[in-house]
């Protein structure tokens, strides 16, 4: 296994191509290290400078008097990368993130092969080239050359996000931060010349800080190894995959119906399905599923209970559940019914969905949630809160968060609305309660959750 | 390269995968003799045409000498532009049933894949199929059926599920143990509640 620990948890970093000129990649990376408060040792290398932002700059990596730097972040023109890597090797640098582009992606395969050869010679674990690199909010490592004011900063959490493409990677990272979920690692690995998706997944499988893995990939380099890994990784933690290339032309002149139907994308999808990966069809689904898996609750079955303060929203959600593949609307037990009859006002019809009416407040929700949480006929709970109604306020949001702490059943909130709703959505999500803004998103997410745990349950 | 039909049929037999009674014929009289008064099918097989039904190369339900002779002449005339070709006579599958496709192919990344779907001439219209990497387990085979939109039709509301699971596992075994096979089409496989008929076979090496 390739040593990603030196990349994600380095005790010392050298930034090669560090720059004093704002806007330059080598400047942004350095600035991010300083701003994020990285606590390890930082060395700078720039052939033409002696000092950058008040720090000493060396002209070559080999000039630095240190025994073995953990990570080199390399942001120099492509043709200079082999020389820099050679220096890194001599200086016993353990790993490298090659941010520079200008390799296989523009047809320069030979130059790429050369840096792989050097990395292998010196046993340098290398990410890239042509990538954004990594971010680990715990170790405060951030090799992303994106100005920090342009990218919302995610909190520390359990989701590790892996993206072959830097552009999709940073977009999703920005969205994740905006949604209020916490990140464990972000890894953008570009051309995958040395470290590829299989190496990264191997590492994240064992990484205790990572609870959920979300991935955007364009291709898989080692299909058979991926399958072997697939057999193990999804038994440990959920892996969500968004694969590009659905519309790629299949075999142009297929000689069989099978080949015409089952092209490369379909083959990937088949592997993901067979080995328990969760397939996301677009960026929205990737975010939906990341969120529900991050809440770390496993359903015992597929029976859904719905609590709502709006009749229409309850019906729409029931429809979404009914059109899903596996989920069913649960039946309330006699015990729940009699409990609820005692505490609910007469206008509340005791059924599932349980419509608490437009004047429902935190107390009415608490009673409803308490019953559903202990009802043997309900495996997962959808709490619809329309914050436009008079009784729905911050106390209600807090009550629902408190219930989530008390029950082991998966619980999600559906809230549709603008500013006031958004504010409460953030409150709840920061407390680990997934909030969605459409019945479809809720249904897809619960289905994904159920399917994953059903897969996992087969192996005990 | 397309395998000879009977070489393909033979390998299926070896794995206990039954396909319908068939024979090459060289003349209309040959076909009449093969028919023995039961309805038969005549098909023209050529590497140049994958979509036999659409191209009018499958003549169904030929129950008397006159019909057999007419169909034979028609195929010979269509075959002029499809040389080399062979004409095959087959017993007519008994009535009813749902047409499915079971297939396989070698994927450069992941190795042998196995497929089942709604078959016949609607394969590419509905694209209702499930795909897995070989070898498949019994669970995988069951999940493949479960994944199909047409699952209740194909499995006769679950009644033929066991038979299909076994068939899929046999095909998976065949694919794994014969690495020279690059593509396989069993299409259509006519499924009934308690039996099936494989009516057409294509194996590519």
């Amino acid at each position: 296994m390739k040593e990603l620990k030196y990349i994600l948890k380095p005790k010392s970093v050298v930034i090669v191509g560090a720059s004093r000129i704002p806007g330059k990649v080598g400047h942004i990376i350095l600035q991010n290290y300083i701003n994020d408060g990285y606590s390890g040792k930082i060395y700078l290398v720039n052939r033409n400078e002696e000092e950058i932002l008040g720090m000493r700059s060396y002209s070559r990596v080999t000039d630095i008097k240190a025994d073995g730097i953990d990570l080199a972040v390399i942001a120099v023109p492509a043709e200079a990368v082999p020389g820099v890597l050679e220096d890194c090797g001599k200086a016993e640098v353990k790993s490298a993130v090659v941010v520079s582009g200008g390799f296989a992606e523009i047809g320069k395969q030979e130059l790429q092969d050369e840096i792989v050869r050097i990395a292998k010679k010196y046993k340098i674990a290398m990410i890239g080239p042509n990538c954004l690199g990594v971010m680990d909010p715990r170790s405060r490592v951030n090799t992303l050359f994106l100005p920090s004011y342009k990218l919302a900063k995610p909190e520390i959490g359990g989701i590790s996000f892996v993206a072959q493409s830097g552009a999709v990677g940073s977009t999703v990272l920005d969205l994740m931060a905006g949604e209020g979920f916490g990140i464990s690692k972000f890894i953008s690995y570009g051309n995958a010349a040395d470290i590829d998706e299989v190496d990264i997944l191997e590492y994240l499988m064992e990484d205790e800080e990572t609870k959920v893995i979300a991935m955007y990939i364009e291709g898989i380099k080692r299909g058979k190894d991926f399958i072997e890994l697939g057999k193990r990784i999804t038994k440990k933690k959920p892996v969500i995959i968004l694969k590009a290339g659905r519309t790629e032309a299949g075999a142009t002149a297929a000689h069989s119906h099978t080949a015409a139907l089952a092209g490369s994308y379909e083959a990937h999808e088949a592997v993901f399905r067979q080995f328990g990966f969760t397939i996301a069809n677009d960026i929205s689904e990737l975010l939906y599923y990341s969120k529900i898996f991050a809440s770390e609750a496993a359903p015992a079955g597929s029976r859904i209970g719905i609590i709502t303060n709006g009749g229409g929203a309850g019906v729409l959600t029931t429809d979404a559940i009914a059109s899903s593949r596996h989920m069913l609307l649960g039946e309330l037990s006699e015990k729940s019914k009699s409990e609820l009859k005692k505490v609910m006002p007469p206008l509340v019809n005791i059924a599932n969905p349980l419509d608490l009416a437009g004047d429902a407040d935190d107390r009415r929700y608490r009673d409803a949630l308490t019953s559903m949480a202990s009802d043997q006929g309900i495996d997962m709970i959808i709490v619809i809160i329309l914050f436009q109604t008079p009784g729905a306020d911050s106390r209600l949001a807090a009550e629902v968060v408190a219930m989530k702490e008390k029950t082991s059943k998966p619980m999600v909130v559906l809230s549709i609305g603008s500013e006031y709703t958004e504010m409460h959505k953030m409150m709840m999500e920061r407390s680990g309660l997934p909030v969605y803004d459409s019945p479809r998103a809720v249904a897809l997410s619960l289905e994904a959750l159920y399917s994953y745990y059903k897969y996992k349950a087969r192996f005990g | 390269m397309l395998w000879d039909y009977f070489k393909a049929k033979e390998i299926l037999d070896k794995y206990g995968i039954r396909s319908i009674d068939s024979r090459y014929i060289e003349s209309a009289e040959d076909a009449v003799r093969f028919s023995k008064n039961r309805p038969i099918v005549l098909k023209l097989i050529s590497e140049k045409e994958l979509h036999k039904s659409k191209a009018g190369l499958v003549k169904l339900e030929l129950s008397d000498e006159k019909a057999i002779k007419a169909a034979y002449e028609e195929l010979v005339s269509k075959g002029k532009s499809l040389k080399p070709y062979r004409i095959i006579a087959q017993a007519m599958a008994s009535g009813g049933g749902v047409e499915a496709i079971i297939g396989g192919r070698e994927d450069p990344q992941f190795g042998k894949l196995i497929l089942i779907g709604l078959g016949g001439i609607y394969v590419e219209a509905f694209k209702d199929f499930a795909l897995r990497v070989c070898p498949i387990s019994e669970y995988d085979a069951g999940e493949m059926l479960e994944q199909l939109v047409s699952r209740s039709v194909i499995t006769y509301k679950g009644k033929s599920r066991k038979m299909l699971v076994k068939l899929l596992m046999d095909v998976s075994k065949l694919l794994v143990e014969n690495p020279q096979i690059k593509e396989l089409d069993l299409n259509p496989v006519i499924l009934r509640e308690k039996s099936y008929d494989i009516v057409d076979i294509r194996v590519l090496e």
Side-chain angles (χ1 to χ4, degrees):
Chain A
M1 200 179 83
K2 306 264 167 51
E3 282 296 357
L4 268 96
K5 72 171 185 212
Y6 294 117
I7 298 177
L8 292 160
K9 306 283 182 196
K11 293 193 183 71
S12 49
V13 175
V14 53
I15 301 170
V16 186
S19 171
R20 65 160 78 237
I21 304 160
K24 282 258 194 189
V25 168
H27 182 87
I28 299 167
I29 294 173
L30 171 58
Q31 196 73 60
N32 284 343
Y33 265 92
I34 296 168
N35 292 349
D36 289 0
Y38 172 67
S39 61
K41 186 90 181 103
I42 303 176
Y43 300 97
L44 308 181
V45 169
N46 184 319
R47 270 185 308 197
N48 310 314
E49 307 278 358
E50 286 182 359
E51 201 187 286
I52 298 168
L53 299 180
M55 295 165 70
R56 177 172 175 194
S57 168
Y58 297 84
S59 62
R60 294 179 65 165
V61 178
T62 43
D63 295 340
I64 303 168
K65 299 275 174 288
D67 356 295
I69 297 167
D70 282 350
L71 170 66
V73 182
I74 301 174
V76 298
E79 57 276 14
V81 173
V84 169
L85 263 184
E86 197 57 65
D87 277 3
C88 286
K90 285 175 190 152
E92 293 178 14
V93 174
K94 296 186 187 73
S95 68
V97 171
V98 182
V99 170
S100 323
F103 294 87
E105 80 280 7
I106 57 158
K108 296 201 171 169
Q109 185 64 46
E110 275 175 36
L111 189 59
Q112 184 162 313
D113 292 345
E114 191 186 348
I115 65 169
V116 172
R117 199 175 41 74
I118 299 168
K120 286 204 164 35
K121 182 167 94 183
Y122 292 105
K123 296 195 169 64
I124 299 171
M126 180 178 74
I127 285 196
N130 184 35
C131 69
L132 277 179
V134 301
M135 180 193 267
D136 181 336
R138 284 187 181 85
S139 64
R140 301 186 181 191
V141 161
N142 178 359
T143 74
L144 276 59
F145 54 87
L146 305 169
S148 52
Y149 68 92
K150 289 192 171 180
L151 190 70
K153 203 171 160 54
E155 314 253 314
I156 292 177
I159 300 171
S160 283
F161 178 51
V162 182
Q164 193 161 5
S165 148
V168 173
S170 50
T171 308
V172 173
L173 196 61
D174 194 15
L175 288 170
M176 283 182 164
E179 287 265 352
F181 25 129
I183 293 290
S184 170
K185 316 275 179 312
F186 169 69
I187 304 172
S188 142
Y189 60 101
N191 294 4
D194 180 38
I195 289 176
D196 61 19
E197 50 283 331
V198 174
D199 297 314
I200 295 169
L201 287 176
E202 288 267 6
Y203 177 84
L204 295 177
M205 175 170 70
E206 302 298 340
D207 177 35
E208 287 183 2
E209 294 165 359
T210 298
K211 306 294 179 207
V212 180
I213 301 166
M215 246 188 140
Y216 167 83
I217 56 170
E218 279 151 15
I220 289 171
K221 273 174 73 189
R222 295 183 277 142
K224 300 270 167 72
D225 292 341
F226 185 87
I227 289 176
E228 288 313 308
L229 173 74
K231 289 176 185 169
R232 293 181 287 132
I233 192 166
T234 49
K235 288 174 200 166
K236 285 198 133 170
K237 47 189 87 168
V239 185
I240 306 149
I241 293 197
L242 170 59
K243 160 91 172 65
R246 180 185 284 275
T247 50
E248 249 164 47
T252 38
H255 295 290
S256 65
H257 291 291
T258 302
L261 288 174
S264 165
Y265 179 85
E266 289 77 15
H268 281 83
E269 204 181 53
V271 168
F272 300 154
R273 201 186 285 270
Q274 191 166 352
F275 301 107
F277 293 84
T278 300
I279 301 167
N281 292 302
D282 55 30
I283 289 177
S284 304
E285 288 186 18
L286 190 79
L287 293 165
Y288 296 160
Y289 304 155
S290 299
K291 189 149 75 177
I292 199 151
F293 282 119
S295 69
E296 291 188 77
S302 61
R303 296 162 305 172
I304 307 291
I306 301 174
I307 298 169
T308 182
N309 62 351
V315 176
L316 289 172
T317 306
T318 305
D319 289 346
I321 293 299
S323 43
S324 77
R325 197 71 184 253
H326 295 104
M327 283 179 300
L328 308 160
L329 212 58
E331 177 84 33
L332 293 180
S333 68
E334 291 309 317
K335 180 171 161 279
S336 299
K337 282 184 193 162
S338 68
E339 272 170 18
L340 287 165
K341 266 191 196 118
K342 271 182 233 156
V343 290
M344 290 295 156
L347 81 164
V348 172
N349 179 26
I350 309 299
N352 186 18
L354 186 61
D355 183 355
L356 302 179
D359 62 341
D361 59 3
D362 53 317
R363 292 172 60 184
R364 207 178 292 168
Y365 267 90
R366 184 177 58 213
D367 291 336
L369 278 164
T370 308
S371 281
M372 286 238 188
S374 62
D375 193 315
Q376 297 293 324
I378 303 291
D379 302 308
M380 298 187 263
I381 305 169
I382 301 171
V383 189
I384 303 173
I385 308 172
L386 302 175
F387 278 100
Q388 296 84 357
T389 59
D393 54 21
S394 303
R395 275 174 304 187
L396 171 50
E399 190 62 59
V400 179
V401 168
M403 271 314 294
K404 147 99 185 142
E405 306 293 323
K406 283 184 215 152
T407 176
S408 60
K409 291 179 187 174
M411 206 169 111
V412 300
V413 172
L414 169 61
S415 273
I416 311 167
S418 59
E419 226 174 292
Y420 189 77
T421 301
E422 280 294 318
M423 178 183 90
H424 287 98
K425 179 192 152 168
M426 283 304 265
M427 273 173 57
M428 291 185 280
E429 291 212 323
R430 291 239 156 98
S431 313
L433 183 59
V435 182
Y436 295 93
D437 63 1
S438 77
R440 182 177 164 273
V442 169
L444 283 171
S445 304
L446 291 176
E447 174 85 18
L449 187 77
Y450 171 73
S451 300
Y452 171 70
Y453 281 100
K454 184 174 158 237
Y455 173 88
K456 205 176 158 193
R458 272 172 63 206
F459 306 101
Chain B
M1 201 194 62
L2 182 67
W3 275 20
D4 173 78
Y5 189 89
F6 289 90
K7 182 181 172 189
K9 185 172 170 23
E10 214 167 277
I11 204 162
L12 292 182
D13 287 345
K14 214 176 112 187
Y15 286 87
I17 305 162
R18 300 181 314 275
S19 55
I20 206 154
D21 183 24
S22 309
R23 214 178 79 194
Y24 280 139
I25 53 151
E26 306 298 336
S27 66
E29 289 69 32
D30 252 3
V32 172
R33 275 194 295 276
F34 175 80
S35 112
K36 288 177 228 147
N37 294 323
R38 54 181 177 166
I40 62 163
V41 180
L42 290 183
K43 282 181 191 171
L44 185 145
I45 299 177
S46 161
E47 200 154 355
K48 289 179 184 153
E49 186 54 69
L50 167 64
H51 301 96
K52 283 196 280 288
S53 295
K54 277 184 212 146
L57 302 177
V58 180
K59 300 287 161 195
L60 297 168
E61 258 176 292
L62 308 169
S63 45
D64 58 39
E65 204 174 319
K66 200 176 141 208
I68 292 172
K69 282 188 172 157
Y72 183 81
E73 295 310 323
E74 195 187 329
L75 290 181
V76 167
S77 122
K78 282 190 170 147
K80 279 175 192 146
S81 58
L82 297 169
K83 281 178 184 167
Y85 68 84
R86 299 295 304 259
I87 294 175
I88 204 167
Q90 290 187 325
M92 183 79 198
S94 50
V98 184
E99 294 195 349
I101 174 173
I102 295 178
R105 80 166 175 87
E106 168 85 23
D107 182 78
Q109 271 285 12
F110 301 114
K112 284 282 165 58
L113 304 174
I114 181 168
L115 169 146
I116 182 166
L118 194 63
I121 55 173
Y122 302 119
V123 164
E124 276 152 54
F126 289 123
K127 290 194 167 65
D128 180 26
F129 63 90
L131 192 69
R132 293 292 184 278
V133 182
C134 299
I136 53 166
S137 64
E138 197 174 331
Y139 179 88
D140 292 330
E143 284 289 293
M144 288 177 83
L145 297 173
E146 192 54 40
Q147 190 188 328
L148 298 174
V149 176
S150 55
R151 62 190 173 281
S152 78
V153 177
I154 279 192
T155 64
Y156 284 81
K157 295 186 178 155
K159 286 181 217 151
S160 65
R161 193 185 148 95
K162 220 172 145 185
M163 173 183 86
L164 285 175
V165 164
K166 175 162 187 325
L167 179 57
L168 283 170
M169 289 176 67
D170 289 340
V171 173
S172 163
K173 191 160 187 278
L174 178 150
L175 289 166
V176 171
E177 290 177 3
N178 295 277
Q180 74 279 21
I181 296 177
K182 297 295 171 228
E183 292 176 36
L184 165 76
D185 268 357
L186 307 176
N187 182 37
V189 179
I190 297 179
L191 302 174
R192 284 177 298 270
E193 201 180 307
K194 292 195 173 94
S195 64
Y196 64 86
D197 278 318
I198 293 172
V199 176
D200 201 16
I201 312 168
R202 280 175 79 85
V203 173
L204 286 129
E205 193 169 317

